[in-house]
Amino acid sequence: MEFLYEGLFAITWQQIVMYAVGAILIWLAIKKDYEPALLLPMGFGAILVNLPFSGVLNQEIANVGTAHGIIEWLFEVGIEASEAMPLLLFIGIGAMIDFGPLLSNPKMFLFGAASQFGIFVTIVVAVLLGFPLVDAASIGIIGAADGPTAILVSQVLKSNYMGPIAVAAYSYMALVPIVQPLAIRMVTTKKERMIRMPYNPGNVTQQIRILFPIIVTFIAGLVAPTSVALVGFLMFGNLLRECGVLGRLSETAQNALANLITLLLGITISFSMRAEAFVSLDTLLIMVLGLVAFVFDSIGGCMFAKLLNLFSKNKVNPMVGAAGISAFPMSARVIQKMGLQEDPSNHLLMHAIGANVSGQIASVLAGGMILNLIPQLIK
């Protein structure tokens, strides 16, 4: 009967920590409704992969040979070998996004770029803390506020910290309503937060909407070739939405495909949350650095808006600059709520949406630039 207790006696304290981490992620998903489609499968997966002799991982069994575990197989096929899962998810994300508010006010493109500031600040800080450049770059991409991009970059660069990076990226995305207001208030005054921005959208024709994803893909391919997979799948999803002849496919991409891939991606990434790799001081540092990245993203967007206001007749509410992160549409909603708190008649949602969808493009371009630049630096 000893085999019945073998698993129980094999549990380590690090695995107990991971059971607690998994339980916290599940609690956040269910009780707080924080990114439940991802945090719940990640939390449950963290428990699965840390059960002793877990059947979800590959293992050698005496007189039998290698038993292939489903989560390790999904990780090897869907992420490690091809990066297929995060890329396929971009099709669904692209199909969900309406670039109309951005195209009607192209100035919002600038805020998407400015709000990637946290990525590069965090890379520098991570290097100063002793992380190798590859790992520092992977940690910095948490600041893209884009979970699939963070997973893809850390995998392509072969970072040792994919699990903590994924947890940090999705956790802070879920905590945008808490983190971002604090960062914004650090660098803005009440008067600045009350700036009104009238919304007078220009006419965005279907032809422009169709050409936009094609042109962006071409530009990305020329400027940052390694970003083509990221940008291309995002723009392909958007083209499905805007072409007007593939309504059912667009609906499928937005719902069935996005939901299925999100579910599988969440439980698959738990492979990199095994206790021996996850429970360490470095994991705590990565969580702190992820917070640094998000805070400086918001600060970068705000400060850039304030800089523009020095030379612009029509002032920009600095909070709109902070919406340039990729956490769509949470960040835009946060800005709208903060604007109404300062002035109940000040509606900033459409401006914030424009900056927010710009952040979607900027985040994948930033990820592509890092994938292109880092291998050159470490040669």
Side-chain angles (χ1 to χ4, degrees):
M1 298 291 290
E2 289 183 4
F3 70 91
L4 294 176
Y5 304 100
E6 187 178 3
L8 181 62
F9 293 146
I11 294 175
T12 65
W13 70 268
Q14 292 96 334
Q15 289 172 326
I16 293 174
V17 170
M18 291 311 300
Y19 301 153
V21 170
I24 290 170
L25 292 176
I26 293 172
W27 180 80
L28 289 173
I30 297 174
K31 186 69 175 179
K32 297 295 184 179
D33 198 28
Y34 288 165
E35 293 287 334
L38 273 158
L39 293 191
L40 192 145
M42 283 174 66
F44 191 74
I47 296 172
L48 280 179
V49 301
N50 286 292
L51 292 171
F53 319 115
S54 176
V56 299
L57 303 177
N58 295 344
Q59 55 188 297
E60 293 292 333
I61 300 177
N63 302 320
V64 176
T66 302
H68 296 287
I70 181 63
I71 289 182
E72 188 162 354
W73 178 82
L74 283 170
F75 182 85
E76 291 171 351
V77 173
I79 296 179
E80 187 175 48
S82 63
E83 296 92 35
M85 284 190 191
L87 288 173
L88 289 172
L89 185 56
F90 274 110
I91 297 177
I93 294 171
M96 296 176 194
I97 297 175
D98 178 8
F99 286 114
L102 174 62
L103 293 172
S104 67
N105 188 6
K107 183 168 65 174
M108 294 298 140
F109 275 109
L110 299 174
F111 298 120
S115 290
Q116 308 309 309
F117 177 63
I119 295 174
F120 303 99
V121 170
T122 305
I123 291 174
V124 173
V125 174
V127 169
L128 292 175
L129 288 172
F131 285 97
L133 183 58
V134 164
D135 292 323
S138 301
I139 294 166
I141 205 65
I142 295 172
D146 188 334
T149 299
I151 292 170
L152 186 66
V153 170
S154 60
Q155 170 57 32
V156 172
L157 293 180
K158 305 300 179 187
S159 171
N160 296 314
Y161 302 105
M162 182 188 294
I165 287 168
V167 171
Y170 283 113
S171 297
Y172 287 126
M173 281 175 62
L175 294 174
V176 162
I178 298 172
V179 174
Q180 200 162 39
L182 296 174
I184 291 171
R185 289 193 175 98
M186 285 170 55
V187 294
T188 60
T189 65
K190 182 176 179 67
K191 182 179 179 180
E192 288 172 330
R193 296 194 295 271
M194 293 179 66
I195 291 176
R196 291 173 173 265
M197 295 176 64
Y199 184 63
N200 300 305
N203 182 37
V204 182
T205 65
Q206 186 184 22
Q207 183 180 27
I208 293 174
R209 289 175 178 269
I210 291 172
L211 288 174
F212 178 71
I214 299 171
I215 293 171
V216 168
T217 303
F218 266 110
I219 294 173
L222 295 174
V223 174
T226 49
S227 72
V228 169
L230 291 166
V231 177
F233 275 61
L234 181 73
M235 290 298 127
F236 173 64
N238 188 249
L239 188 59
L240 289 179
R241 174 194 178 96
E242 301 296 355
C243 69
V245 295
L246 295 173
R248 284 185 296 179
L249 284 181
S250 176
E251 292 274 341
T252 300
Q254 293 179 48
N255 297 292
L257 176 65
N259 291 335
L260 179 60
I261 296 298
T262 298
L263 179 70
L264 290 175
L265 184 62
I267 200 165
T268 300
I269 201 63
S270 66
F271 172 74
S272 57
M273 296 173 68
R274 291 160 294 162
E276 62 270 20
F278 196 94
V279 181
S280 68
L281 178 60
D282 286 345
T283 296
L284 292 177
L285 282 175
I286 288 168
M287 297 301 292
V288 172
L289 288 169
L291 179 60
V292 169
F294 267 71
V295 168
F296 275 93
D297 278 347
S298 299
I299 289 175
C302 287
M303 298 306 293
F304 184 74
K306 293 172 75 165
L307 178 64
L308 283 183
N309 285 345
L310 296 176
F311 310 98
S312 176
K313 180 180 178 180
N314 298 318
K315 304 300 182 184
V316 175
N317 190 309
M319 294 193 297
V320 170
I325 67 173
S326 181
F328 176 84
M330 287 176 290
S331 183
R333 291 172 180 167
V334 167
I335 302 311
Q336 167 72 355
K337 184 177 179 181
M338 290 184 69
L340 291 175
Q341 287 174 347
E342 302 294 350
D343 178 354
S345 62
N346 190 11
H347 295 276
L348 299 170
L349 182 62
M350 295 312 294
H351 299 287
I353 287 286
N356 211 177
V357 297
S358 172
Q360 286 280 333
I361 300 173
S363 68
V364 294
L365 284 174
M369 289 174 64
I370 286 175
L371 290 177
N372 192 50
L373 181 62
I374 298 302
Q376 303 296 324
L377 294 176
I378 61 177
K379 279 185 178 179

